[in-house]
Amino acid sequence: MLKLNHSGFSLEAGTDEAGRGCLSGPVVAAAVILPENFEHPFLNDSKQLSEKKRNELRFYVEEHALSFGVAFIDNEEVDKLNVLQASIEGMHRSIAKLSVMPEFIIVDGNKFKPYGEIPHQTIVKGDAKFLSIAAASILAKTYRDEFMEKIHKEFPMYNWKKNKGYPTKEHRAGIKTHGATKYHRKTFKLLPDQLTLDF
């Protein structure tokens, strides 16, 4: 059973990101503040849910959250910052989009930089422990998936609609045959043998 609160503050924001391990596309982060009476029987870490369930939950979270924010860090910025810093920057930007200033921030994972003066706590596997982080993971994942499905139409040969930019065999075969696109992360090892790839 996921918990609603970690800190005891009523305005506690949970934050998470999606897309760190992908070869293409953005890192997308979200921050969510839930009301004190929030509950939902299926809300869990987005990786544990079907795409249909995630999409249903996205609308439920957006409707019932006190506030939420979503931020995109595009692949060029990921290359410039490195993926860990891009994730933290994305989480900061999503917190900045909240219409209510949180009193405390809980973060999925074990790395974060302070956001202003607001106290925070990193929580490993937080998306499977706290509702607000699980909600943020669902928003980050669904917004990112939607973006990958959109750019799939531009470059269908990589099948981003299905693999969402993760390093599947099919995605790597597409890179080997067609090369890299403007959406690929140039600092990532796109193919096992980098020598076969021209940018």
Side-chain angles (χ1 to χ4, degrees):
M1 189 73 178
L2 275 66
K3 294 181 190 146
L4 186 56
N5 192 281
H6 168 78
S7 64
F9 289 104
S10 56
L11 295 177
E12 179 179 88
T15 185
D16 197 3
E17 47 64 39
R20 262 175 74 167
C22 295
L23 303 179
S24 58
V27 166
V28 179
V32 177
I33 300 175
L34 295 174
E36 289 181 18
N37 60 351
F38 182 89
E39 55 184 353
H40 192 286
F42 306 127
L43 184 57
N44 202 335
D45 164 15
S46 66
K47 294 183 282 294
Q48 311 289 329
L49 298 165
S50 69
E51 191 168 356
K52 185 170 180 287
K53 276 271 186 291
R54 279 198 298 269
N55 288 326
E56 285 169 16
L57 278 162
R58 167 183 166 174
F59 294 112
Y60 187 87
V61 167
E62 290 181 349
E63 201 179 315
H64 292 87
L66 286 178
S67 183
F68 69 91
V70 179
F72 283 66
I73 306 285
D74 70 27
N75 52 297
E76 289 179 8
E77 206 171 350
V78 171
D79 281 333
K80 203 162 72 190
L81 292 172
N82 87 40
V83 75
L84 172 64
Q85 297 308 322
S87 300
I88 294 170
E89 176 63 23
M91 290 193 262
H92 277 207
R93 286 185 199 173
S94 69
I95 295 163
K97 290 184 171 188
L98 293 169
S99 57
V100 184
M101 185 63 83
E103 300 165 289
F104 198 92
I105 300 162
I106 53 175
V107 184
D108 185 57
N110 61 359
K111 297 272 195 300
F112 194 66
K113 288 179 180 164
Y115 180 83
E117 300 294 307
I118 302 170
H120 73 267
Q121 178 66 55
T122 55
I123 300 165
V124 174
K125 295 196 167 54
D127 50 4
K129 294 173 184 170
F130 289 94
L131 287 166
S132 60
I133 299 179
S137 85
I138 280 157
L139 294 192
K141 175 91 176 109
T142 52
Y143 275 75
R144 189 178 186 284
D145 285 358
E146 193 174 70
F147 179 83
M148 295 309 290
E149 284 162 26
K150 194 174 86 187
I151 63 172
H152 166 86
K153 292 177 183 144
E154 218 179 319
F155 295 101
M157 60 286 258
Y158 303 95
N159 204 7
W160 290 333
K161 187 172 63 164
K162 184 160 175 262
N163 63 51
K164 307 297 192 280
Y166 282 92
T168 59
K169 271 186 180 161
E170 179 183 43
H171 187 183
R172 286 205 148 124
I175 295 168
K176 201 169 165 58
T177 308
H178 303 286
T181 67
K182 62 185 178 183
Y183 296 113
H184 279 99
R185 300 176 186 174
K186 309 290 190 269
T187 55
F188 278 52
K189 194 170 181 185
L190 298 180
L191 288 173
D193 178 6
Q194 246 357 110
L195 296 174
T196 59
L197 192 62
D198 293 320
F199 285 117

